[in-house]
Amino acid sequence: MKSKSSTHLVTLCRSLNRDRTRVAGRRYRVLLAAIWVAGALLLTACASPEITRLPKAGSETKCITPGAQQDTVVGVALSGGGSRAALYGAAGLEALGRLPSPQGGSVLEQVSYLSSVSGGGLSAAYYALHKPAHQTPVLGSDGTMTQAYQTFFTDFQAKLAQDFQSALIWRQLGSGRFILNSALAAQSLHEILEESLLGPGTFADLAARQKSGDSPALIINSTLYNSGRRLVFTTLPPDAAQYDFIEDLERSMVSRGITRSYPEVMKKRWESLLPVSPLELQIDPCPLKVAVAATASASFPPLVGPITFTVGDELDYWHTGDGGLYENLGLESLLFTFQKQIQDHKARRALILAFNSSYPFSVGFKQLRQRSQPWTIFNYDFSRIPKVMEERATAYWSLFYRSLQVEGVFPDDSTLRILFLNHESARWDDDLSDLPEACRTEKPPLTSPEEVQQRLAEIPTKFMMESECDRQLLHAAAAKVVLQNQRTIQDFLADRPATKGVSQ
């Protein structure tokens, strides 16, 4: 007969064995789960994204619509910069809506072209697709904005204030898409923009609105990775921005008694700067959803994108993404379009209002001076690397443009005027009595105009805007910079002598 102690020992051993079995079972199940998750991640990481297949362009493409021909043509450029740029661009359009035009009505009603990059593309696309019809006046008889436009701009701001960034992450996870697969992320972003912001509108829809006068001609800028050139999604004809720089250069030199021939390589270099339209790739843009074009412009590999197109049954693929990689203002394609119209005598004068809310290069300088560690995609904005190249390109572009104005190749400011309406250029009252309500309880508090300008400059580039104070600051800043340049805008539209404005 066994003793109690031996019986307890046997029971304890059996219990330990059962515990070990349960632990081993749990470990086995955890291992199986880990293998399953790893396999799922590998499969989704290698999953092929949806290819945007569009019909081949025929002899006639119904949605191609020539732009407005006016004595004085007006365009708005909306820069990149995530939700910061989207909200600032929408607020800028609203501020133009509140500004009376010398010809009567609102300055906004004179805007017949809208060009955008990345975050600014969200604002531009929404405005072009959803603004009230042309029969609805922007300003009433008393000079204040009509209720229809007040409601439109209120809804506009609310739509753009959505957290697209978190929605993108959850869409990736909820759809079983590997979160680091950038092509699948572009597919998710397109779905989100279509569902929650832009709707299913196509470029054929835009063309119909443009023809009826209900919306300006829209240009959404992206970068064609195949060739490195700018690809513009638009209903404008392919030659709309094919400005002949060499022709104007030769005309200027002849007027100064200079005779010189230019090597063929110089002409090819210039052609490489001109934008490419979908028709030049044999793509019919009419059925293309505006949300897809906006996604392409806003995508930034390796996090999001590119968007891949193919034509008909062909096996050639076109990969397009971040419009800001080439030029982040949305300005250049609009500038070429207007210079082409002036060159062809289809317009006498042109005004470009560039709402620039790019992330100031100087802010990154300050942050890096205070950082002792290197960075990765997880702990710092690695877009600083292409921004270094962009900064040099912008400096060269500015010198090139201004030098050729002096030489009489490009039109002077009385003929073609560019106003840079930068978000950090807004001037604030010394006592901050004009500080938005949501910013009055900030901790630490904003105590000077310089601190407000710095706060605006440091709003990060994300597709979300967590702070109500930041949203209201951007709205107020847009209204301020338009009012600061009110006289310059109105003088140009009235063909009065130019007054001092903001230029680069």
Side-chain angles (χ1 to χ4, degrees), residues 72-74 99-103 106-107 110 349 351 487-496:
T72 299
V73 65
V74 181
L99 189 64
S101 169
Q103 287 77 23
S106 163
V107 169
Q110 293 191 243
R349 303 168 73 247
L351 175 65
R487 185 177 174 187
T488 302
I489 295 169
Q490 292 175 330
D491 282 350
F492 188 93
L493 295 177
D495 208 354
R496 293 191 289 260

Side-chain angles (χ1 to χ4, degrees), residues 138-202:
V138 180
L139 297 178
S141 57
D142 61 352
T144 63
M145 184 170 281
T146 59
Q147 186 59 53
Y149 266 91
Q150 287 185 42
T151 301
F152 167 74
F153 279 114
T154 298
D155 293 343
F156 195 0
Q157 288 283 335
K159 286 277 190 179
L160 292 174
Q162 297 178 77
D163 184 351
F164 299 109
Q165 191 162 302
S166 296
L168 171 60
I169 294 171
W170 285 112
R171 177 63 60 95
Q172 287 287 91
L173 294 173
S175 302
R177 298 168 181 168
F178 183 43
I179 198 166
L180 294 182
N181 186 314
S182 60
L184 293 175
Q187 185 175 331
S188 294
L189 182 58
H190 153 230
E191 293 168 358
I192 291 164
L193 293 181
E194 182 175 335
E195 293 166 10
S196 60
L197 181 67
L198 299 177
T202 65

Side-chain angles (χ1 to χ4, degrees), residues 12 48 51 65 81 130-131 143 158 167 172 199 232 313 351 357 387 394 411 428 454 499:
L12 178 61
S48 297
I51 303 296
T65 307
H130 299 294
K131 68 173 284 293
Q172 287 287 91
V232 293
D313 296 325
L351 175 65
S357 54
K387 283 184 184 297
T394 300
W428 302 83
Q454 188 67 19
T499 55

Side-chain angles (χ1 to χ4, degrees), residues 52-311:
T52 301
R53 189 173 294 276
L54 294 169
K56 192 170 185 176
S59 57
E60 292 186 12
T61 306
K62 294 181 179 179
C63 67
I64 297 303
T65 307
Q69 293 187 25
Q70 300 163 312
D71 179 73
T72 299
V73 65
V74 181
V76 168
L78 302 180
S79 79
S83 290
R84 180 189 65 248
L87 288 163
Y88 184 70
L93 293 170
E94 181 179 353
L96 292 179
R98 297 182 185 277
L99 189 64
S101 169
Q103 287 77 23
S106 163
V107 169
L108 186 62
E109 291 170 310
Q110 293 191 243
V111 174
S112 51
Y113 291 82
L114 192 53
S115 178
S116 65
V117 172
S118 193
L122 273 60
S123 306
Y126 185 91
Y127 181 80
L129 284 168
H130 299 294
K131 68 173 284 293
H134 72 281
Q135 296 92 342
T136 304
V138 180
L139 297 178
S141 57
D142 61 352
T144 63
M145 184 170 281
T146 59
Q147 186 59 53
Y149 266 91
Q150 287 185 42
T151 301
F152 167 74
F153 279 114
T154 298
D155 293 343
F156 195 0
Q157 288 283 335
K159 286 277 190 179
L160 292 174
Q162 297 178 77
D163 184 351
F164 299 109
Q165 191 162 302
S166 296
L168 171 60
I169 294 171
W170 285 112
R171 177 63 60 95
Q172 287 287 91
L173 294 173
S175 302
R177 298 168 181 168
F178 183 43
I179 198 166
L180 294 182
N181 186 314
S182 60
L184 293 175
Q187 185 175 331
S188 294
L189 182 58
H190 153 230
E191 293 168 358
I192 291 164
L193 293 181
E194 182 175 335
E195 293 166 10
S196 60
L197 181 67
L198 299 177
T202 65
F203 278 83
D205 298 323
L206 282 178
R209 284 178 61 85
Q210 183 184 333
K211 287 177 182 177
S212 63
D214 292 337
S215 95
L218 178 65
I219 302 170
I220 296 179
N221 297 277
S222 67
T223 300
L224 184 62
Y225 294 127
N226 299 59
S227 63
R229 292 179 65 181
R230 175 175 294 279
L231 175 64
V232 293
F233 297 101
T234 183
T235 58
L236 293 171
D239 65 346
Q242 300 300 300
Y243 166 62
D244 192 339
F245 161 66
I246 302 298
E247 178 185 322
D248 273 356
L249 180 60
E250 290 176 342
R251 172 194 51 76
S252 172
M253 298 189 70
V254 167
S255 69
R256 289 177 286 154
I258 302 173
T259 303
R260 182 177 299 170
S261 59
Y262 293 94
E264 193 64 27
V265 66
M266 182 176 175
K267 297 179 181 179
K268 290 186 178 297
R269 284 290 187 185
W270 173 254
E271 290 171 0
S272 73
L273 295 177
L274 295 173
V276 178
S277 76
L279 281 181
E280 292 175 75
L281 305 180
Q282 298 298 305
I283 294 175
D284 181 353
C286 301
L288 177 64
K289 291 186 176 181
V290 179
V292 174
T295 300
S297 182
S299 70
F300 185 76
L303 297 178
V304 179
I307 293 285
T308 300
F309 295 90
T310 190
V311 186

